[in-house]
């Protein structure tokens, strides 16, 4: 059976959640394999609109097994609150179909504190963190100084480990930042309040995945953010602190032997970006605000306005290559319906020379966009459900992107609803 990954091609916020929600009917297992609660996947279905930050987007189908893999930064407090919120809207979560890897590390309150303290120290050189503690968390994980979810099931071991970590972490809080120290009892109380409700869901998810694969089940791997935010291949240092690439899915899921058959890259019909860093195609002023309003471009986690611009084919081609995409899903095509002509960034001007190659991060600040325009269609396409029903100009736009990116566009989204999709 085929296993697939759904990944972001650009800066994140491409619409991966709606694609996972759509495609889960073809899969038996959905796995989040990296990232934390610092970003969100927006899903619209018959139950309402959901902004998921940690829960896999397959939770809306009761027959699907959902897993948070060992590569995920699990914030017990935010996860438990998110679970309660979706259950209030009628989405059932049960230990028989929702699992948390015992090897996933926990985001602790001091990670969020340190995130905010460091952003304040950086002042106007800040990276635009959502202050969810992600960078300090992954730094601690690399230093082997995190608590594993499975340790919640071993109280005596947990206390001893927390005592060690508190002594070490207070050195940073007090000596480096001059902040208030924490205590073992404070951390244990927090873990009891928010970690204890998660205990029934914690287990050996690698075993679940191996068994599913052995039985011929289809597995869908869900990524957070996009290729340009990847720790190794993104726009350093304005990246996330984990690997957002499909190639990391086997490791971050806990099943490194699994083979990916398909990589579905998600890209918007235009560009959007949350956070700091180079964004070559960026629009400003009224032009940007019109597109932002048309696309509802406000962060799922923060609510802050996203930076927007035309589709950037230089960055997008790089993202396709980094992800090893075998097919693309183009989202929000309907948003461009207000434009008579649609700008497209086809090359960059770097130091007076035009290039279609994505530059090294240090060169991005000097890059300027080179645009062409394609004819718009100036009509509402949100009710289109077949390729043939699209206006010719819309089809030509999709075909131009497909040819330039050298990757087939298999899905075209014309709205947030499950059925607002055109399959090619």
């Amino acid at each position: 059976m085929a296993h697939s990954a759904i990944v972001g091609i650009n800066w994140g916020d491409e619409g991966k959640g709606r694609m996972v929600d759509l495609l889960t009917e073809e899969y038996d297992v959905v796995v989040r394999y990296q990232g934390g609660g610092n970003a969100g996947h927006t899903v619209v279905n018959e139950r309402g609109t959901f902004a998921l930050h940690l829960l896999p987007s397959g939770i809306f189908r009761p027959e699907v097994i959902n897993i948070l893999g060992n590569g995920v930064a699990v914030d017990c407090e935010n996860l438990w609150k998110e679970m309660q919120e979706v259950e209030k809207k009628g989405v059932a979560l049960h230990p028989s179909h929702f699992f948390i890897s015992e090897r996933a590390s926990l985001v602790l309150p001091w990670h969020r504190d340190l995130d905010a303290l460091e952003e304040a120290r950086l002042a106007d050189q800040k990276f635009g963190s959502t202050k969810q503690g992600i960078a300090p968390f992954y730094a601690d994980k690399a230093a082997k100084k995190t608590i594993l979810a499975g340790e919640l099931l071993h109280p005596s071991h947990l206390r001893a480990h927390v005592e060690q970590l508190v002594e070490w972490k207070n050195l940073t809080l007090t000596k480096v930042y001059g902040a208030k120290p924490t205590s073992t009892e404070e951390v244990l109380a927090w873990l009891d309040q928010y970690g204890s409700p998660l205990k029934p869901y914690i287990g050996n998810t690698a075993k679940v995945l191996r068994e599913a694969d052995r039985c011929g089940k289809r597995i869908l791997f869900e990524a957070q953010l996009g290729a340009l935010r990847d720790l190794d291949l993104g726009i350093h240092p304005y990246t996330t602190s984990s690997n957002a690439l499909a190639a990391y899915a086997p490791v971050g899921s806990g099943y490194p032997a699994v083979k990916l058959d398909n990589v579905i890259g998600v890209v918007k019909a235009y560009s959007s970006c949350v956070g700091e860093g180079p964004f070559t195609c960026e629009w400003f002023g009224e032009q940007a605000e019109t597109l932002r309003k048309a696309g509802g471009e406000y962060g799922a986690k923060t609510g802050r306005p996203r930076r927007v611009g035309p589709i950037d084919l230089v960055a997008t081609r790089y993202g396709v290559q980094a992800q090893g995409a075998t097919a693309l899903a183009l989202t929000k095509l309907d948003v461009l319906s207000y434009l008579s002509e649609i700008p497209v960034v086809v090359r960059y001007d770097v130091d007076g020379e035009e290039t279609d190659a994505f530059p090294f991060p240090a060169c991005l600040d000097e890059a300027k966009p080179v645009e062409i325009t394609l004819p718009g269609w100036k009509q509402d396409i949100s009710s289109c459900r077949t390729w043939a029903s699209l206006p010719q100009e819309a089809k030509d736009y999709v075909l131009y992107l497909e040819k330039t990116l050298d990757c087939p566009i298999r899905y075209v989204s014309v709205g947030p609803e499950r059925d607002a999709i055109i399959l090619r």
Side-chain angles (χ1 to χ4, degrees):
M1 298 292 284
H3 302 318
S4 302
I6 292 187
V7 294
I9 293 298
N10 296 120
W11 300 265
D13 309 303
E14 297 97 345
K16 295 180 293 299
R18 71 97 64 238
M19 289 305 303
V20 175
D21 181 58
L22 172 74
L23 294 177
T24 44
E25 64 180 2
E26 301 175 14
Y27 292 84
D28 306 291
V29 184
V30 175
V31 188
R32 274 281 310 274
Y33 62 87
Q34 53 80 221
N38 56 319
H41 290 170
T42 301
V43 176
V44 180
N45 56 36
E46 67 279 2
R47 293 186 178 92
T49 299
F50 298 83
L52 303 181
H53 305 294
L54 280 164
L55 288 171
S57 300
I59 60 167
F60 303 105
R61 300 187 189 272
E63 71 280 6
V64 172
I65 292 174
N66 291 269
I67 292 175
L68 290 182
N70 53 272
V72 176
V74 176
D75 184 324
C76 298
E77 181 176 355
N78 285 335
L79 176 57
W80 178 235
K81 289 179 178 178
E82 188 173 318
M83 291 169 66
Q84 292 177 301
E85 288 172 4
V86 300
E87 286 187 318
K88 285 179 183 177
K89 292 186 178 182
V91 180
L93 292 171
H94 192 271
S96 63
H97 75 100
F98 173 52
F99 299 89
I100 302 169
S101 171
E102 62 190 4
R103 290 182 173 271
S105 290
L106 303 182
V107 177
L108 297 175
W110 61 53
H111 291 127
R112 281 182 259 157
D113 294 342
L114 287 168
D115 208 348
L117 288 166
E118 179 62 8
E119 283 284 285
R121 186 190 71 81
L122 289 170
D124 59 355
Q125 294 180 325
K126 63 187 179 181
F127 296 141
S129 170
T130 57
K131 300 182 180 64
Q132 296 299 304
I134 301 304
F137 162 82
Y138 277 110
D140 282 1
K141 184 175 180 179
K144 300 162 289 185
K145 293 186 181 295
T146 54
I147 293 171
L148 302 182
E151 293 182 65
L152 294 174
L153 308 179
H154 303 276
S156 59
H157 171 89
L158 177 65
R159 171 174 280 275
H161 196 184
V162 169
E163 287 177 351
Q164 294 172 358
L165 292 180
V166 165
E167 181 182 4
W168 167 74
K169 187 55 69 175
N170 276 339
L171 293 174
T172 304
L173 287 169
T174 61
K175 302 296 184 183
V176 176
Y177 291 104
K180 178 185 175 183
T182 189
S183 71
T184 297
E185 297 307 320
E186 285 178 319
V187 176
L188 288 173
W190 184 86
L191 288 170
D192 182 59
Q193 181 177 0
Y194 298 111
S196 292
L198 303 181
K199 289 180 181 180
Y201 304 92
I202 296 170
N204 186 345
T205 54
K207 182 179 179 181
V208 175
L209 288 169
R210 284 196 302 269
E211 182 64 16
D213 192 20
R214 188 185 68 81
C215 294
K217 304 290 188 181
R218 303 183 70 184
I219 304 171
L220 185 64
F221 299 88
E222 178 183 13
Q224 184 201 59
L225 296 169
L228 299 179
R229 297 296 189 190
D230 180 75
L231 178 61
D232 289 300
L233 299 185
I235 50 173
H236 181 83
Y238 301 97
T239 68
T240 192
S241 298
S242 63
N243 291 106
L245 302 182
Y248 185 70
V251 175
S253 71
Y255 186 23
V258 73
K259 307 299 182 186
L260 291 179
D261 302 288
N262 306 296
V263 176
I264 302 166
V266 186
V267 58
K268 276 180 181 167
Y270 53 94
S271 297
S272 70
C273 170
V274 172
E276 308 295 328
F279 187 46
T280 304
C281 61
E282 187 168 10
W283 281 352
F284 299 94
E286 183 178 347
Q287 187 181 37
E289 189 58 25
T290 302
L291 177 56
R292 188 176 295 116
K293 288 180 178 179
E297 293 299 340
Y298 303 90
K301 181 67 179 180
T302 62
R304 62 185 175 186
R306 293 182 180 129
R307 301 158 70 187
V308 295
I311 192 167
D312 183 335
L313 296 183
V314 180
T316 302
R317 187 186 301 107
Y318 176 78
V320 169
Q321 294 167 351
Q323 292 287 15
T326 58
L328 296 176
L330 185 70
T331 61
K332 291 198 169 186
L333 183 65
D334 56 304
V335 171
L336 299 180
S337 296
Y338 74 94
L339 290 165
S340 299
E341 291 188 325
I342 302 174
V344 176
V345 175
V346 292
R347 290 179 299 280
Y348 288 173
D349 182 320
V350 182
D351 293 330
E353 294 188 10
E354 292 190 8
T355 179
D356 59 5
F358 193 68
F360 182 70
C363 303
L364 281 169
D365 285 338
E366 306 304 320
K368 299 179 178 61
V370 177
E371 295 182 359
I372 65 167
T373 58
L374 299 175
W377 43 93
K378 291 290 288 183
Q379 66 184 81
D380 183 11
I381 61 172
S382 61
S383 62
C384 294
R385 295 295 181 268
T386 64
W387 178 249
S389 65
L390 283 174
Q392 187 59 47
E393 293 85 356
K395 289 190 282 189
D396 289 343
Y397 182 75
V398 175
L399 292 172
Y400 176 81
L401 302 186
E402 182 176 69
K403 180 180 179 181
T404 306
L405 297 173
D406 192 26
C407 188
I409 296 175
R410 299 297 188 207
Y411 308 89
V412 178
S413 169
V414 292
E417 301 81 13
R418 269 184 185 164
D419 69 336
I421 197 82
I422 294 169
L423 306 180
R424 295 183 63 228

